Amino acid sequence: MTESVVRRIRELIAEIRQHDYHYHALDAPTIGDTQYDQLVAELKRLETEFPDCLDPNSPTQRVGAKPDSGFSEVSHRIPMLSLDNVFDLDEFQQFVERMTDRLDGISSPELTAEPKLDGLALSIRYEQGELILAATRGDGSTGENVTQNVRTIRSIPLTLNGEHLPEILEVRGEVIMKKEDFDSMNRRLQAAGEKTFVNPRNAAAGSLRQLDPAIVATRPLSFYAYGVGEVSASLGDRHSDVMDTLKSLGIPVNPGLVKGDVSSMEAAYQELLAKRDSLPYEIDGMVVKVDPLALQNALGFVARAPRFATAWKFPAQEAATDLIAIDVQVGRTGAITPVARLEPVFVGGVTVSNATLHNFDEVSRLDVRPGDRVMVRRAGDVIPQIVRVMTDQRPTNSQAVPLPTECPICSSPVERAAGEAVIRCSGGLICQAQRLEHLKHFVSRKAMDIDGVGERLLEILIEKQWVKTPADLYRLSIESLKDLDRMGEKSAANVVQAIAASKATTLARFLYALGIRDVGEATARTLAQTFGDLQPLMLASLEDLMAVDDVGPIVASHIRAFFEVQQNREVIEELRNLGVYWPIHPVEAPTTGVDLSGQTWVLTGTLESMTRDEASDRLRALGAKVSGSVSAKTTVLVAGPGAGSKLSKAQDLGVRVMDEAALMELLES
Ligand code: IVH
């Protein structure tokens, strides 16, 4: 009995170790998480049932050691050194010169370049392949014994892989927290009302130096090796070979090592810098090392850093500066956002004088006020952000910024939808900040469908102040338009003609074109069908609106708010006076003898006598619902030339199929 248990436990341990190796060292897991968890669960069960068979280095033993009262000291037999830094090509070349001056006859040594991981240094000692000690760098010669904590890091093997293991092997590398792990951990800590960490490096350092290994076990730490300390046997003649050997032993090594010579290092630097933000962990530079160990030994060390390696640093992504003011901006969709005006500061490679604060919740969360000293972060092309406020340096007379009640551009009241963090201007059609977006929407195909008035023309018309509201479009003349850049008489006439043609529309299109928040095409259609004309809709109460299918309290309140703004009502009035009209449908009686209510129609392929949108409008006018996909509920599929999968699906389902001629006949009956 026990014999078979021992065998099974050994099997499970070997299998789990193998999976850990694939997952953490090779980045190529061979089973799914659930399957992995099942193996671990089986192992735990056997170990609990047969405690005598417990192997102290079993993968289940990563958590559980008692909290330490503090860390004991560990002296490093081989010191853990630091690196000198260079900040540009010039300084890098000086580093190379200093090095080659000492290497008689070798002007271009073979080099390696690898990411400089932004975490904290760790030394892990294996004896006979078993992890026996892990220590922080400390002052380089004495560090802290963090073995219990390190045993909880899943990517660090407790036992090495392989046959001929060196008796002693000290692995040196960086403990880090991946960006994603950092974000989810901080979310978790925040939800639990606990203190969050400011960045992944602090999170890694703070977690590793936690006194309770059970807590450390909940912190998603990772480790990558970049070198070795004491070793009892050679692992290779080059740094790159040593890294390969470590990898084969099951140790995750710093990914992204490239080999090259002096002349290729600048390109390697630029390449890594370009990749920086897409990497799953934070890096703060590129480490260049001489590859052959014989040359490393010949070069030796100065003070606390090797002569054979240097850190070519990236521009810092965080910097402190003063916040001068918090301004309020209105975006193109009416979102009102606070913007931080900063004392200019060089960060992430550029000078930054503005940072986004996203919304007013963020302002309260950060408790940021004018006059504060703040930490600004600019990563890659991302808009600079304020990541924290140094509240201890806050001036005594500082004042929090109040939440705006009206739009700074058009003075319309601001509104905040339930569950949304942003506040918005309710000015809709009249707010200058929202003009372009509104007009683009107004002319778009499913709205007023004004062909020939594109974004560029709208920009010009807005800039010239010829068009402030949609009504102004209907006042444009060929005379004024023809003198615009790249326009001419003919195009101007086409534009005016297209605008005039849009006057004959439908109520649904017009409602959609108004750009009322959350009133999309479908809602606009339902509203048009329900109210028949604009006037009753404008007079409808919240209750009336909420009685409409698909209209809930939020949409109803947006509709009410829109029509309550006097300028919106004025623009509508002007549009009607300028000739925009739609057929009025008495709410009860259908307009023709054909009643398609309760039917679902689908259109596919090309139609010749009208567009699919027009055909859809006409079918809806007869009460049909027009859908984009065929299902068993489809009543009729209208198939024009070029119909494909929808047609075959309709045939499979036995749905009635009609061609364009039959459709026309029905519409005209
Ligand atoms: S080599 C003897 N390689 O940077 C040279 N260090 O600023 C030992 N670091 O203490 C360091 N990534 O904690 C090396 N690829 C890398 C590194 C790296 C990050 C850290 C390491 C070191 C610090 C020096």
Side-chain angles (χ1 to χ4, degrees), residues 81-83 114-117 121 137 174 226 254 287 289 306:
L81 298 168
S82 187
L83 288 169
E114 59 200 71
K116 184 171 188 309
L117 303 166
R137 187 172 72 170
E174 201 83 347
Y226 52 64
N254 191 353
V287 180
K289 296 173 186 166

Side-chain angles (χ1 to χ4, degrees), residues 54-357:
L54 181 68
D55 175 346
N57 270 341
S58 155
T60 59
Q61 299 305 298
R62 289 179 184 274
V63 201
K66 288 275 164 297
D68 216 329
S69 58
F71 300 108
S72 56
E73 289 186 349
V74 173
S75 45
H76 301 297
R77 302 251 320 258
I78 300 201
M80 290 181 77
L81 298 168
S82 187
L83 288 169
D84 275 339
N85 295 324
V86 300
F87 292 92
D88 55 35
L89 181 60
D90 213 36
E91 289 183 10
F92 175 68
Q93 278 161 346
Q94 287 168 26
F95 155 77
V96 172
E97 259 166 51
R98 279 195 303 276
M99 199 165 62
T100 48
D101 279 354
R102 296 186 153 256
L103 294 175
D104 290 341
I106 302 175
S107 60
S108 183
E110 293 164 82
L111 302 174
T112 61
E114 59 200 71
K116 184 171 188 309
L117 303 166
D118 202 7
L120 80 155
L122 183 73
S123 183
I124 310 171
R125 188 175 173 97
Y126 290 89
E127 288 184 7
Q128 270 85 35
E130 302 291 323
L131 189 162
I132 60 133
L133 182 68
T136 61
R137 187 172 72 170
D139 64 4
S141 47
T142 311
E144 291 162 316
N145 183 338
V146 286
T147 313
Q148 293 304 339
N149 288 349
V150 166
R151 290 170 69 91
T152 70
I153 303 177
R154 299 243 323 242
S155 60
I156 298 178
L158 302 176
T159 305
L160 297 178
N161 243 355
E163 304 273 296
H164 309 289
L165 296 168
E167 222 163 286
I168 296 170
L169 166 57
E170 259 177 32
V171 178
R172 302 259 162 105
E174 201 83 347
V175 174
I176 58 157
M177 194 176 285
K178 292 183 183 168
K179 295 173 189 169
E180 234 182 70
D181 293 336
F182 168 74
D183 289 338
S184 52
M185 181 191 76
N186 256 358
R187 276 198 297 274
R188 219 174 53 225
L189 289 175
Q190 193 167 14
E194 288 178 46
K195 210 171 151 284
T196 54
F197 288 96
V198 293
N199 59 38
R201 178 168 42 79
N202 286 26
S207 300
L208 190 67
R209 303 191 60 256
Q210 248 290 332
L211 288 177
D212 183 353
I215 294 182
V216 186
T218 68
R219 302 283 169 81
L221 294 168
S222 303
F223 173 84
Y224 288 110
Y226 52 64
V228 290
E230 189 181 348
V231 278
S232 58
S234 163
L235 302 181
D237 291 338
R238 291 162 185 277
H239 167 63
S240 51
D241 295 341
V242 174
M243 291 298 105
D244 287 344
T245 309
L246 290 184
K247 193 169 178 174
S248 72
L249 298 177
I251 292 164
V253 304
N254 191 353
L257 181 145
V258 292
K259 298 193 217 185
D261 61 8
V262 171
S263 68
S264 66
M265 287 298 127
E266 198 203 353
Y269 176 83
Q270 295 301 348
E271 214 167 288
L272 189 59
L273 184 56
K275 269 206 287 207
R276 180 185 198 177
D277 294 305
S278 58
L279 291 176
Y281 33 72
E282 295 209 327
I283 63 172
D284 58 345
M286 179 177 93
V287 180
V288 180
K289 296 173 186 166
V290 167
D291 201 19
L293 299 185
L295 291 188
Q296 285 196 1
N297 292 334
L299 284 161
F301 304 85
V302 268
R304 293 167 41 99
R307 284 199 193 89
F308 56 79
T310 196
W312 190 347
K313 296 295 286 279
F314 289 154
Q317 290 181 318
E318 286 188 7
T321 189
D322 291 327
L323 183 134
I324 304 164
I326 296 178
D327 285 351
V328 176
Q329 262 182 5
V330 189
R332 297 191 305 172
T333 56
I336 296 181
T337 47
V339 179
R341 305 287 177 217
L342 304 166
E343 197 55 56
V345 61
F346 192 72
V347 56
V350 297
T351 300
V352 164
S353 43
N354 301 309
T356 177
L357 283 163

Side-chain angles (χ1 to χ4, degrees), residues 568-583:
N568 287 341
R569 291 201 303 270
E570 281 169 12
V571 172
I572 291 171
E573 178 75 19
E574 285 176 54
L575 285 165
R576 301 193 77 168
N577 291 340
L578 286 158
V580 174
Y581 72 98
W582 49 86

